[in-house]
Every structure is written in C-alpha cells, then in structure tokens.
C-alpha cells in the first residue's frame, strides 16, 4: 500500500532535519510518495500567511505528515502560531510524547512513559481579550466533555497496549474547580470502561515534582493542554533532551508527527542540529501507518548510533546533522542485508 507523506519542513533547522528524515525513509522497505507543503514564517513572507489553506488540504489528503519546526516572531501584529492553528483546524486532539531512556550517559535509566496531552482546548483556546484600557488581560480556559472524553479514551486505549497498564490523570481540580473538575469527573467515568487499567490521579504541581524525583513510576500520563505542554518538556530532559524528543499530533483521520524542538535559529547551517528527534518522530509515524517492522528497525538503529557516540555535539558526539543521517542509513542498509540473508 502506498503511503502519501506530506513533508512540512518549515523554518530554521526544520528543512535540515526533514531532508534527513526523507533520505532515511527512502532506504526503508516502504512504498511511499512524498509531497511538500508550506508552513511558518518563510511561508508568511512568501505567501502572506504562515499556514496556507492549501497546506491544510495537503495534510488532509495524506496518510500522515512530518513537520520540522517553525519560527514564530513574538511581536508581529496579526501573526498567529501556525502550529496551534494547524492542531485546531485539523482537530489533532491528542499530542503524544513518549519519553524513553536512551543508551546515553545524559539519560536516566528505566524511564518508559508517554504523556497524552489534550491539544485543542484548555488555556490554548485562543479566546483572549484586554479590558480596562489594556490593564487587565484575560484568557478563557475551555474544557469540554467531548474534548475530555476523546483524550481520556485515547490515553486508556494506549495504556491497554502497554505492559504496566497504568494511567495517571493529572489536574488541579482543588483550585480550578470547574474546568479541571469536569476533566477529572469525565476521567473517573471513562475509567469504569477499562477495568484492567489502574487509574491514579495527581495534582499537576505534585506531578511536576514526582517527575523529577522518580520519573520511572509513570506509565501513561494524561492531562490538559498547558499542563501537558509543560510536563512533557520537563520529562524529555531526563532522556536526552530536545535533540531526541519526538511527538505525534493525532486526530480522527489525520496525524502530524514532529520533533519537539523549535527552529533553533542560532545553529542553522552549522551542522549541529540533531536529526534524531525527527527520526524518532518518523518512527512514531511508521507505527501510526502500521509499518511496525520499519518503525522498530529505525528505533533500534538510532539507539545503536547513540550508544556508539555517533551523534551531534548536543549528545557529546562530533558528527554533523548529515553525517548522523548517513550513519543511520548505513546501519539500516546493514540490517536489511542481514535480514535478507536470513530469509534466503
Ligand atoms: P528551540 O527548540 O528552537 O531551541 C532551544 C535550544 O535547543 C537552542 O539552544 C537550540 O540550539 C537547541 N536545539 C533545538 N533543537 C536542536 C536540535 N535538533 N539539535 C541540537 N540542538 C537543538 O527553542 P527556542 O530557541 O526557544 O525557539 C526558537 C524558535 O522556534 C522560536 O521562534 C520559537 O517560537 C520556535 N519554536 C517552534 C516550535 C515548533 O515549531 N514546534 C517549538 C518550539 C519553539
């Protein structure tokens, strides 16, 4: 089956890491067709919008999309975050952030958790206003039953497929009594549908602390938008940091995978951008496309490279972005040769 992959390189180091991922995908035994679409500040300068409608349409028409990163200028009137807009327009309601120990000295051992973050509502509702001549700023935090149900079901479904089958529901219902109160009560209802899953609840501040103290205690964490954004950045620092952190944005029939990092403007063109986060996002995309063997092959090869110090300077290595990609490609080709020999 041919998978149509929409590549969204974006700005800064985005195009560098997406090009590497495309080369890697091309050596895997897969039937793929690539198209490219515009997103980000460069798109805004060329086309007058950071997220053209044509891009949304290309993503909808594709089996999955792979996104690099964008630069978001802080003070440009009328500019909007194309990432937040893309997630909302395509109803990519689940943001998945796996955090797994890597074979590297900067990584803590025995961590294997996934953060399932609501991606379309909460404090990122986009409903903001200024009152009192600009002296009072208000953002509305929107939590809906529908939004809560679908993210909680996603978390429980993921937990069902994992060994430990535990879900931590993270909220602040003692203070945010209405919004977190609704999220929490929906969680307790949904939990009844999953008798084999252990449910635990934790306040978000306690969770932030427990993640630092003992991250290995967590299996699946599910939470609202802003809490998930912060906790997932915190968690990725225990397992190698931004250069290896990957995520997926999942909707009903659409999915966009991306490295967690931004456009890293200070290292553009230096060869210092670690492409591994994008490779791990690519592996998540392959799982989503049911190409599980290729996903596993890519993850194993990436871990072998990390273990052998074949990495960029952020992980202590001395290779450039494209040299890391070359090593990954070489190792994939070697594993493919070996598996062919075994088949003969
Ligand atoms: P950033 O993630 O771009 O960079 C943070 C730090 O990590 C920098 O020191 C950078 O050099 C380093 N870094 C990032 N990715 C790396 C990689 N692959 N390999 C090695 N080092 C890496 O965050 P920032 O500097 O706060 O933001 C820069 C721009 O990116 C801003 O315009 C911001 O709005 C945007 N941003 C975009 C996204 C996205 O596209 N999803 C996410 C975060 C930030």
């Amino acid at each position: 089956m041919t998978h149509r992959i929409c590549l969204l390189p974006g700005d800064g180091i985005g195009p560098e890491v997406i090009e590497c991922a495309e080369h890697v995908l091309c050596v895997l035994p897969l039937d793929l067709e690539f198209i490219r679409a515009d997103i980000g500040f460069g798109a805004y300068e060329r086309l007058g919008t950071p997220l053209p409608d044509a891009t949304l349409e290309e993503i909808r028409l594709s089996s999955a999309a792979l996104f690099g990163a964008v630069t978001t200028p802080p003070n440009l009137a009328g500019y909007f975050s194309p990432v937040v807009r893309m997630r909302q327009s395509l109803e990519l309601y689940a943001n998945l952030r796996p955090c797994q120990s890597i074979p590297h000295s900067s990584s803590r051992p025995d961590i294997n958790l996934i953060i399932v973050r609501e991606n379309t509502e909460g404090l990122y509702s986009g409903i903001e206003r200024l009152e009192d001549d600009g002296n009072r700023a208000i953002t509305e935090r929107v939590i809906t039953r529908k939004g809560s149900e679908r993210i909680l079901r996603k978390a429980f479904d993921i937990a069902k497929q994992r060994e430990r089958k535990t879900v931590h529901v993270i909220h602040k219902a003692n203070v945010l009594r209405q919004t977190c109160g609704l999220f929490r009560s929906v969680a307790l209802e949904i939990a009844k549908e999953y008798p084999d899953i252990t449910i635990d609840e934790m306040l978000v501040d306690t969770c932030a602390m427990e993640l630092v103290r003992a991250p290995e205690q967590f299996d699946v964490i599910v939470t609202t938008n802003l809490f998930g954004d912060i906790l997932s950045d915190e968690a990725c620092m225990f397992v190698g940091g931004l250069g290896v952190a990957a995520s997926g944005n999942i909707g009903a029939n659409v999915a966009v995978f991306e490295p967690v990092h931004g456009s890293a403007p200070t290292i553009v063109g230096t060869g210092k951008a670690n492409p591994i986060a994008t490779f791990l996002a690519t592996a998540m995309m392959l799982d989503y496309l049911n190409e599980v063997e290729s996903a596993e092959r890519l993850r194993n090869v990436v871990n072998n490279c990390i273990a052998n110090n074949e990495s960029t300077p952020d992980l202590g290595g001395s290779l450039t972005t494209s040299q890391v990609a070359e090593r990954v490609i070489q190792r994939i080709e070697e594993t493919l040769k070996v598996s062919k020999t075994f088949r003969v």
Side-chain angles (χ1 to χ4, degrees):
M1 178 190 174
T2 306
H3 302 295
R4 184 179 198 266
I5 308 297
C6 179
L7 299 175
L8 303 163
D11 305 312
I13 62 169
E16 298 174 19
V17 292
I18 290 294
E19 193 186 342
C20 291
E22 186 181 7
H23 290 156
V24 164
L25 278 167
C26 287
V27 293
L28 287 163
L30 297 165
D31 187 4
L32 303 176
E33 176 192 325
F34 296 101
I35 61 116
R36 287 182 134 69
D38 291 300
I39 190 166
F41 188 58
Y44 174 81
E45 289 182 312
R46 283 191 309 280
L47 309 164
T49 170
L51 185 64
D53 288 344
T55 295
L56 291 173
E57 196 47 27
E58 289 294 3
I59 300 171
R60 279 194 197 97
L61 292 171
S62 299
S63 319
L66 193 58
F67 164 53
V70 291
T71 298
T72 300
N75 295 319
L76 190 58
Y79 196 84
F80 58 86
S81 159
V83 181
V84 175
R85 184 73 61 91
M86 173 173 70
R87 289 169 180 168
Q88 285 172 343
S89 304
L90 299 171
E91 279 210 67
L92 301 169
Y93 67 90
N95 185 283
L96 309 184
R97 282 262 207 116
C99 294
Q100 210 167 353
S101 299
I102 56 166
H104 189 268
S105 55
S106 67
S107 170
R108 283 166 68 166
D110 305 324
I111 299 174
N112 184 5
L113 64 89
I114 179 164
I115 297 184
V116 181
R117 157 189 165 199
E118 204 296 319
N119 216 15
T120 53
E121 48 183 47
L123 257 180
Y124 296 177
S125 66
I127 307 172
E128 294 194 296
R129 62 184 177 278
L130 288 177
E131 293 178 353
D132 189 17
D133 288 335
N135 293 310
R136 187 175 148 88
I138 295 171
T139 298
E140 288 186 20
R141 184 173 199 250
V142 179
I143 301 286
T144 64
R145 172 169 287 277
K146 179 185 164 207
S148 303
E149 274 179 6
R150 63 186 180 182
I151 195 67
L152 286 155
R153 277 218 172 81
K154 172 66 81 186
F156 279 88
D157 286 340
I158 289 172
K160 235 167 120 175
Q161 287 157 18
R162 291 168 65 93
E163 219 174 286
R164 286 193 283 166
K165 304 197 187 324
T166 303
V167 173
H168 275 87
V169 178
I170 307 302
H171 57 74
K172 188 74 183 176
N174 55 336
V175 177
L176 302 169
R177 302 184 77 83
Q178 298 303 329
T179 49
C180 274
L182 178 59
F183 186 75
R184 175 179 181 267
S185 66
V186 173
L188 298 179
E189 281 167 31
I190 301 273
K192 290 188 191 134
E193 296 171 22
Y194 296 84
D196 299 340
I197 310 279
T198 309
I199 177 177
D200 238 318
E201 52 180 318
M202 203 179 265
L203 297 178
V204 64
D205 39 354
T206 308
C207 180
M209 190 178 65
E210 284 297 314
L211 267 174
V212 175
R213 193 186 66 79
E216 59 289 336
Q217 72 185 286
F218 294 102
D219 178 17
V220 177
I221 289 176
V222 60
T223 190
T224 52
N225 205 339
L226 175 68
F227 294 166
D229 196 4
I230 297 170
L231 292 177
S232 50
D233 268 15
E234 181 190 352
C236 87
M237 292 316 291
F238 307 129
V239 288
L242 275 182
V244 295
S247 71
N249 302 279
I250 316 290
N253 298 304
V254 194
V256 179
F257 297 84
E258 56 173 315
V260 168
H261 62 72
S263 61
T266 56
I267 58 168
V268 176
T270 63
K272 287 186 181 157
N274 191 341
I276 284 179
T278 310
F279 296 158
L280 294 176
T282 304
M284 287 179 78
M285 179 180 80
L286 294 175
D287 276 334
Y288 171 82
L289 295 171
N290 235 352
E291 298 289 358
V292 184
E293 203 180 313
S294 287
E296 209 40 37
R297 189 182 301 277
L298 178 53
R299 265 191 284 265
N300 287 339
V301 158
V302 161
N303 274 334
N304 284 339
C305 284
I306 294 172
N308 285 292
N309 210 21
E310 295 171 345
S311 60
T312 42
D314 57 304
L315 284 185
S318 57
L319 299 187
T320 63
T321 311
S322 53
Q323 284 170 335
V324 173
E326 280 159 24
R327 294 295 166 92
V328 167
I329 287 169
Q330 199 183 335
R331 283 176 181 273
I332 290 174
E333 284 171 341
E334 281 163 15
T335 65
L336 286 170
K337 259 188 235 148
V338 171
S339 58
K340 230 184 222 166
T341 317
F342 273 119
R343 254 176 233 141
V344 174

